[in-house]
Amino acid sequence: MCLPPEKASELKQIIHNHLLRMDVHGRIREVLAETIKDDEGSVHRPLSEGDFVRALQRRGIIDDVMRDLHFTQQSAPNIDAESPSKPAGHHVDQDSMHLKKTNLDPSRRYLYLQVLGGKAFLEHLQDSEPLPGQVCPTFTLYLHFRNQRFRSKPVPCACEPDLKEGFLLEIHRDSFGDGSKMVDATAMLSMCDAVHLVLIKTDTSGETTLISSYFLDWRMVLGSPSCKTCFAVEMMGVGNESKIPAGVLTVSLELFPPLQETLNTDIIVTQQSLERQRTAEKERLFLVYAKQWWREFLEIRQSHQSKLVKIFAQDENGVNRPVCSYVRVLRAGRLLESPRQAARFVSLLAHERASVVGGGGKQEQWCTLMAFLCRGKGDCEDHATLLCSLLLGFGLDAYVCVGTKVNSGPHTWVLTRGTDGSITFWESLTAHRYLHRPIDPDAPPLVPQPKPSSPYRTVGCVFNHQTLLANCQPSDALELCVFDFQNQSRWKAMSEEALKSVCAPGSTSSLPPLPPLCASSLDPAEVSNHLELEMRFLVSEHRKDLDLATVWDDHLSYLLSSALTAYEMERCTGVSCGNEEFQDAVRRAVPDGHTFKGFPIHFLHRNARRAFATCLRLYIVPFTLTV
């Protein structure tokens, strides 16, 4: 069989990578040493190639290599197959629990990152070894690198967790003209994109906790012999514990294919130092400008001192960053189809404030988008910045509002401005929308005024990825606020150039990269059926304790699925539909003399016991049939 040169090169690369992964060369050396040693005690004769091959066959090495070596087409969907210059595999959440064969492109460069284990997670020092089949808390490691996301399989929490995973990261060029060319050492040295590692702990009830968020500079591998290096990564805590180590991960980095000539270590250190210096200088200049801008804002009115004007916010690592850097233009591809569906998606992420050791009020902690998505929950600021990013991706003029709620403390939500001047508020925690109609304080007393429709009381500032505006109006009461951002007597704007110097993508090396959204790895039908079986069991056991029999009507259960679909559609679109068909079907299914009673409840988790406990507290069982 004759292969074209490019296919032959690809075949050689696959075999080479496979032999490296199995450490076949090391095993061959061991067999060779043993064969020579055994041959010394026998009759002296030259060791032939056939003897050595038979020794490899006896130890099963050849069978192992041939059994695991497969030449198949890539089973993953071909993303953007029509554009070979565009790297494939982005926007795909690689689940390590479902391994896929990958054909390496010999014209591209890859970074193979291996996690070889963890140690010194002292919080779990006293944890006992879990028994086989026992449900226990787990660690999951998430990675993001240049628009690629990966996830490890969960492992039991321990002082030395068995986190052993390998991730193949593609190193591609940013420009589409050179996207199909293999990156060289100089191009890789200029890439300041770090590998973002996020460690999440999941307890036995399914609750997630952010353990650590670490940005790994991988470029030291460019100066390592054979383009391979291994080192320990100290994973620091988050929030108040950001200066305290949470644990240590042993990480190995390797370039495929390796560089012909590695870089001098001094060159890499100098490049990193120059990037840090440029970033520090930009941040220093912005801080000087921000202080001057704030002084000018206070000179307008002394009462501005009490307004909620947010310029900087602290992330999970305790780093102060401009609030505008938390918002980016985020396009969800085909995952989200409309702005309202985006609002529904954000509202499904649970709301949880950052914990404070010992109490004492709310701890403010704005999370990076990667940490927020991996954890699956966060504070109102995390929800608002994500929703604003998605609405900007859908082409809306969106801003994050910082203010207060009625009968509550500080709060953030999202505002969009229509081309007709209309103002709409979006509550990111619930996906509710409110149309803003300001009160005219100069109107005659008899003129009817609009009643407040939103739950918000005051607004101090608004911002997005390019703009930050402080409220200069005499009162920060929302009902009196006019959102005419071009009017400098009402809103004081920060310089867009100053914001761009520290908030624009690629402006500083300390700016976290924007991760893509990924499709869910869950099968909705399978999860729904499993949850229904668990709920049925809990209801039956509860009624058995009350000496009540339970009979399930599978036909009626099927009819209720249309109601749940209608409820979800109403949450996404704001339009109710299908109610007439559902009522008619239920009337035909319920026997004479019986009454159907049902009440929908929305949960942000899949824990059947917690859901059933909530139903009992409300004295209802979802969709019950009573006589």
Side-chain angles (χ1 to χ4, degrees):
M1 181 178 64
C2 182
L3 290 176
E6 62 273 9
K7 288 295 182 182
S9 299
E10 181 178 353
L11 182 61
K12 291 178 182 178
Q13 186 68 40
I14 292 173
I15 296 175
H16 176 70
N17 294 335
H18 182 69
L19 296 179
L20 286 177
R21 186 170 62 252
M22 295 187 63
D23 193 22
V24 173
H25 298 91
R27 297 170 66 182
I28 289 176
R29 283 193 292 269
E30 294 176 1
V31 173
L32 180 61
E34 293 176 5
T35 305
I36 293 175
K37 183 178 180 181
D38 295 341
D39 190 63
E40 289 177 353
S42 60
V43 180
H44 292 285
R45 62 181 178 84
L47 182 65
S48 66
E49 181 179 342
D51 296 333
F52 186 58
V53 171
R54 283 191 292 273
L56 293 176
Q57 288 177 335
R58 284 197 302 271
R59 287 161 176 78
I61 295 177
I62 296 179
D63 293 337
D64 291 344
V65 172
M66 298 306 296
R67 182 177 61 251
D68 295 336
L69 185 62
H70 300 282
F71 304 98
T72 60
Q73 294 294 326
Q74 189 169 349
S75 59
N78 185 11
I79 298 178
D80 203 343
E82 297 179 358
S83 177
S85 64
K86 198 172 183 179
H90 305 169
H91 309 290
V92 179
D93 186 7
Q94 304 289 348
D95 190 346
S96 300
M97 294 179 288
H98 303 282
L99 297 177
K100 299 177 182 178
K101 301 180 183 66
T102 302
N103 290 339
L104 295 181
D105 188 344
S107 65
R108 294 190 182 276
R109 187 86 64 186
Y110 296 90
L111 175 67
Y112 186 49
L113 186 150
Q114 279 185 292
V115 181
L116 304 178
K119 58 185 178 181
F121 286 84
L122 301 181
E123 184 178 346
H124 301 278
L125 184 61
Q126 304 298 326
D127 292 0
S128 57
E129 187 76 18
L131 299 174
Q134 179 184 0
V135 179
C136 60
T138 59
F139 282 141
T140 306
L141 184 67
Y142 295 83
L143 276 79
H144 170 228
F145 177 69
R146 295 179 70 81
N147 224 25
Q148 305 163 77
R149 286 178 59 182
F150 298 83
R151 178 181 61 188
S152 74
K153 65 177 181 293
V155 299
C157 293
C159 183
E160 297 184 358
D162 191 27
L163 269 170
K164 295 181 179 178
E165 291 285 348
F167 307 96
L168 191 64
L169 314 176
E170 183 180 337
I171 306 176
H172 57 88
R173 296 176 184 267
D174 293 323
S175 63
F176 290 102
D178 297 332
S180 60
K181 299 179 181 178
M182 181 181 293
V183 290
D184 54 16
T186 304
M188 287 189 287
L189 182 61
S190 65
M191 296 178 181
C192 58
D193 304 72
V195 180
H196 193 179
L197 306 176
V198 176
L199 186 62
I200 299 293
K201 175 184 176 181
T202 307
D203 62 19
T204 54
S205 64
E207 289 294 318
T208 56
T209 305
L210 177 62
I211 300 299
S212 182
S213 174
Y214 185 85
F215 293 93
L216 173 66
D217 193 334
W218 54 276
R219 289 174 293 180
M220 69 281 290
V221 74
L222 301 177
S224 302
S226 303
C227 292
K228 186 174 183 180
T229 183
C230 185
F231 52 91
V233 174
E234 190 174 47
M235 305 289 287
M236 307 301 289
V238 295
N240 290 334
E241 302 176 9
S242 59
K243 305 300 181 184
I244 303 174
V248 176
L249 294 180
T250 303
V251 174
S252 170
L253 298 177
E254 185 173 3
L255 277 180
F256 287 112
L259 297 172
Q260 297 297 328
E261 291 186 16
T262 59
L263 296 178
N264 190 300
T265 305
D266 294 337
I267 296 177
I268 301 175
V269 173
T270 302
Q271 174 70 16
Q272 294 171 336
S273 177
L274 288 174
E275 290 174 356
R276 286 192 294 268
Q277 290 174 13
R278 285 196 296 264
T279 297
E281 180 63 15
K282 288 183 178 181
E283 292 175 346
R284 185 190 68 81
L285 292 175
F286 179 77
L287 179 59
V288 171
Y289 167 76
K291 289 181 177 180
Q292 177 62 30
W293 181 88
W294 177 247
R295 284 193 294 267
E296 294 173 358
F297 179 67
L298 294 181
E299 289 173 357
I300 298 175
R301 230 179 246 103
Q302 193 60 35
S303 60
H304 287 177
Q305 182 72 44
S306 60
K307 288 189 176 182
L308 288 176
V309 179
K310 196 74 177 170
I311 303 176
F312 296 93
Q314 200 172 80
D315 65 11
E316 68 267 21
N317 291 324
V319 178
N320 280 311
R321 297 197 284 116
V323 292
C324 295
S325 67
Y326 290 88
V327 179
R328 306 278 189 88
V329 178
L330 180 59
R331 297 180 178 89
R334 298 292 184 267
L335 299 178
L336 299 173
E337 299 175 351
S338 68
R340 296 197 183 190
Q341 194 176 47
R344 174 63 171 163
F345 162 71
V346 175
S347 70
L348 294 178
L349 299 171
H351 176 223
E352 181 179 272
R353 294 180 175 179
S355 60
V356 180
V357 179
K362 174 186 175 182
Q363 175 193 345
E364 186 178 282
Q365 175 182 302
W366 295 35
C367 285
T368 58
L369 181 55
M370 180 66 178
F372 178 42
L373 292 174
C374 295
R375 187 185 175 204
K377 58 184 177 182
D379 211 337
C380 59
E381 295 88 0
D382 305 321
H383 288 78
T385 52
L386 174 56
L387 178 57
C388 184
S389 299
L390 289 169
L391 296 182
L392 288 169
F394 279 107
L396 299 183
D397 188 17
Y399 302 82
V400 175
C401 297
V402 179
T404 60
K405 289 184 72 174
V406 177
N407 301 324
S408 183
H411 188 66
T412 58
W413 65 97
V414 178
L415 170 152
T416 55
R417 295 196 307 163
T419 54
D420 58 352
S422 61
I423 301 296
T424 305
F425 297 139
W426 302 64
E427 177 49 63
S428 57
L429 299 179
T430 61
H432 291 164
R433 301 165 69 249
Y434 309 95
L435 189 62
H436 175 63
R437 294 187 179 89
I439 294 175
D440 184 4
D442 299 326
L446 297 180
V447 174
Q449 298 279 12
K451 294 183 179 180
S453 60
S454 68
Y456 314 119
R457 187 168 63 89
T458 64
V459 57
C461 70
V462 299
F463 67 90
N464 59 16
H465 63 305
Q466 294 177 330
T467 308
L468 190 148
L469 303 112
N471 188 356
C472 296
Q473 300 170 66
S475 172
D476 60 356
L478 191 72
E479 57 187 14
L480 301 175
C481 188
V482 177
F483 291 92
D484 180 11
F485 295 152
Q486 282 69 40
N487 190 335
Q488 298 182 8
S489 65
R490 297 180 184 272
W491 296 91
K492 179 174 175 57
M494 261 196 173
S495 167
E496 291 191 8
E497 289 299 321
L499 290 170
K500 188 183 297 184
S501 67
V502 291
C503 298
S507 58
T508 63
S509 60
S510 63
L511 200 62
L514 181 70
L517 295 184
C518 298
S520 174
S521 60
L522 298 176
D523 182 354
E526 181 182 353
V527 173
S528 177
N529 292 335
H530 181 69
L531 184 60
E532 181 181 349
L533 291 176
E534 287 185 314
M535 291 294 293
R536 285 194 178 198
F537 173 78
L538 293 172
V539 170
S540 299
E541 290 297 309
H542 179 72
R543 290 174 60 84
K544 186 185 296 184
D545 293 340
L546 301 176
D547 295 328
L548 298 174
T550 305
V551 179
W552 299 101
D553 189 332
D554 292 332
H555 175 61
L556 182 59
S557 174
Y558 179 74
L559 297 182
L560 298 180
S561 61
S562 63
L564 295 176
T565 301
Y567 291 136
E568 182 63 24
M569 186 176 298
E570 184 178 4
R571 291 290 184 95
C572 290
T573 63
V575 179
S576 178
C577 62
N579 190 43
E580 298 81 4
E581 295 85 351
F582 170 68
Q583 291 183 3
D584 183 67
V586 169
R587 289 192 183 99
R588 295 168 62 86
V590 175
D592 293 338
H594 291 68
T595 303
F596 172 81
K597 293 182 179 180
F599 184 82
I601 313 177
H602 178 234
F603 298 100
L604 297 180
H605 58 81
R606 302 189 308 275
N607 191 305
R609 292 189 177 276
R610 288 175 57 193
F612 184 64
T614 302
C615 295
L616 291 180
R617 286 197 301 270
L618 298 174
Y619 298 100
I620 58 175
V621 175
F623 289 126
T624 59
L625 181 66
T626 60
V627 179

